[in-house]
Amino acid sequence: MKIQTPQLPKGTRDFYPVDMRVQNHIFSVWRQAALKFGYEEYEGPIFEHLELYTGKSGEEIVSQLYNFMDKGDRALALRPEMTPTLARMVIQKGSELRKPFKWFSIPRLFRYERAQKGRLREFFQLNLDIIGTESVSAEADLISAIASMLFDFGLTENDFYIGVSSRRLLASMLEQLEVKEPNLVYPLLDKRLKMPAEDFEKELLNVGLSEEKAKKLNAFMSCTTVAEIIPSFRGVPEGRGVQELKELFELLKAGGFENCVKLDLSVVRGLAYYTGIVFEVFDKNKNMRAIAGGGRYDNLTETLGGQKITGVGFGMGDVVLADLLAERNLLSQKKSDLPVFIASFNGDMKVLFGTAAEFRKKGVACSHSLNAVKFGKQLEMANAAGAKCVVFADGEKSKDGVWEYKILSSGEQGVDSLEKILEKL
Ligand code: HAM
């Protein structure tokens, strides 16, 4: 009987070293950017009690995640997002945590969804969150961090935009229009740009709006600046929703990020817990799925049985980001970091192990052949390992702390101390 070879599970990825270099580059830019903005790293378990997710979103969420019973009959789930874990951690420590605080994490997440371009069943997601302040400066800090890190990847204002909207503003508009079932309208707002304007208005009629109100809502939704919104609220006080957006855009302008952001009322966000400003990041032509998304959540800790503590944050996935960076040729040159490959003319293993130990004691990363092979073969191995230079352990001139070397990129050869050789790389 032919044994079937094991297959990669659907929606997951292997990371061979060549892929891992790219992945580490993404993680490193993410981490540096978060630290540059003063966020502190945290982590949680990869599985949680299922209840942490069903409590918030109801039972229908179960079909979208990986859940299982453990041997102690506990209902658990692999984490589909980090925000509930963060909320749980915040509730657990309560007033011990000095607020406000800024935390980040790079969790591996799991969602049982149809695998497609930009969406997998297992992925990584940078999370930045600020807990314990109502100030819109928190949104400004997060959105500045997004723009800044995308620049660090080499992207420009021509490659992406951050669409900003406000659940509070949408809610007050729906209230002003006396919409009885706002929850039926939100999904339509989300889909609005994917259908012709007449269809959008027709769908609004279907969920009970009058023709006049449907027209008004459509006009409101096409506003692209805060100034345009204000007349929509004629006769009604401007309200917190508009004020917050105004202030946010001013702060972003002060940081020089005004060309990265725009008001985009079609950003509604699927997750149920957002209450204030919401935002999503897209490639400029909106050809791909969202690169990142987030917003303010006022009631999450309370929903989970804790005190009411406000939070705001976002998640940026690695999948769409890597697709965009690859499309812009910003991932192509990731080489291995090995500085030194040690070679022996005689293929003497003891000399290789002795020299390698000496170099590593000095903190220098190095590798060498694991077999006594001919010199030419060792040079081939150095190239294949992506080493920057070859040091000849038993070269005639390699003595008294100086070494014969060859720099692989330039072909330059010489004799020098290890420190001086490393300076040349
Ligand atoms: P989300 O919109 O579900 O928000 O995900 C944020 C980002 O994670 C998406 O824009 C996308 O880049 C990435 N992402 C989501 N699902 C997948 C998938 N199946 N495969 C690949 N990438 C994916 C949240 O998760 C919120 N918890 C974010 C947040 C943090 N809000 C406040 N704090």
Side-chain angles (χ1 to χ4, degrees), residues 10-27:
K10 210 183 244 174
T12 67
R13 292 166 289 176
D14 288 323
F15 293 94
Y16 288 86
V18 56
D19 311 307
M20 207 58 215
R21 276 183 223 150
V22 169
Q23 199 66 11
N24 281 335
H25 166 68
I26 291 176
F27 289 171

Side-chain angles (χ1 to χ4, degrees), residues 21-35 106 152-153:
R21 276 183 223 150
V22 169
Q23 199 66 11
N24 281 335
H25 166 68
I26 291 176
F27 289 171
S28 147
V29 174
W30 273 351
R31 183 167 276 115
Q32 290 313 316
L35 294 172
I106 307 181
D152 291 345
F153 278 112

Side-chain angles (χ1 to χ4, degrees), residues 125-378:
Q125 191 195 60
L126 170 70
N127 277 248
L128 261 61
D129 285 86
I130 303 181
I131 304 293
T133 176
E134 299 216 338
S135 164
V136 77
S137 302
E139 279 88 339
D141 198 69
L142 291 157
I143 293 174
S144 307
I146 293 180
S148 168
M149 76 178 69
L150 294 180
F151 291 155
D152 291 345
F153 278 112
L155 294 168
T156 70
E157 292 163 357
N158 298 325
D159 297 313
F160 71 91
Y161 77 90
I162 305 167
V164 180
S165 179
S166 161
R167 277 281 181 101
R168 206 185 311 280
L169 177 70
L170 292 177
S172 57
M173 188 64 203
L174 296 184
E175 203 177 304
Q176 191 187 327
L177 294 174
E178 292 163 344
V179 171
K180 289 188 191 68
E181 297 203 67
N183 287 338
L184 294 180
V185 178
Y186 285 125
L188 294 178
L189 302 185
D190 195 27
K191 282 191 296 192
R192 177 174 164 272
L193 293 181
K194 293 175 202 125
M195 53 175 126
E198 319 84 75
D199 289 5
F200 174 67
E201 287 183 17
K202 242 184 256 160
E203 298 255 5
L204 289 176
L205 301 185
N206 289 343
V207 294
L209 270 73
S210 69
E211 210 162 304
E212 186 202 350
K213 287 180 180 173
K215 278 216 156 34
K216 198 161 178 203
L217 187 54
N218 201 10
F220 168 76
M221 289 297 288
S222 44
C223 293
T224 54
T225 64
V226 179
E228 276 177 55
I229 291 178
I230 293 165
S232 308
F233 282 94
R234 216 167 325 163
V236 185
E238 236 175 60
R240 199 167 143 200
V242 174
Q243 278 305 336
E244 282 173 345
L245 283 169
K246 259 192 189 168
E247 209 179 315
L248 173 62
F249 283 109
E250 275 162 21
L251 292 174
L252 290 169
K253 190 167 177 202
F257 296 113
E258 68 271 28
N259 294 333
C260 307
V261 281
K262 64 180 186 199
L263 181 77
D264 181 352
L265 295 177
S266 68
V267 171
V268 178
R269 304 283 294 138
L271 292 160
Y273 49 69
Y274 295 110
T275 49
I277 285 180
V278 284
F279 47 90
E280 247 162 20
V281 186
F282 289 101
D283 65 291
K284 198 86 180 195
N285 304 325
K286 221 174 166 183
N287 284 335
M288 299 178 174
R289 308 189 67 114
I291 301 165
R296 183 172 285 275
Y297 44 95
D298 280 333
N299 309 325
L300 185 55
T301 50
E302 208 176 16
T303 315
L304 294 174
Q307 266 189 312
K308 185 171 169 134
I309 305 168
T310 186
V312 53
F314 72 85
M316 180 184 291
D318 61 332
V319 182
V320 181
L321 175 67
D323 284 349
L324 180 61
L325 295 176
E327 199 189 273
R328 298 291 191 277
N329 260 331
L330 293 168
L331 286 180
S332 47
Q333 271 144 68
K334 300 286 158 268
K335 296 233 169 73
S336 109
D337 289 328
L338 187 68
V340 174
F341 193 94
I342 305 170
S344 154
F345 286 108
N346 311 318
D348 184 333
M349 296 311 296
K350 283 190 203 136
V351 167
L352 287 175
F353 269 82
T355 312
E358 187 182 332
F359 283 14
R360 288 173 190 144
K361 264 189 212 142
K362 292 186 176 165
V364 178
C366 56
S367 188
H368 56 75
S369 168
L370 297 175
N371 290 310
V373 290
K374 290 216 175 83
F375 184 67
K377 177 89 184 155
Q378 293 180 59

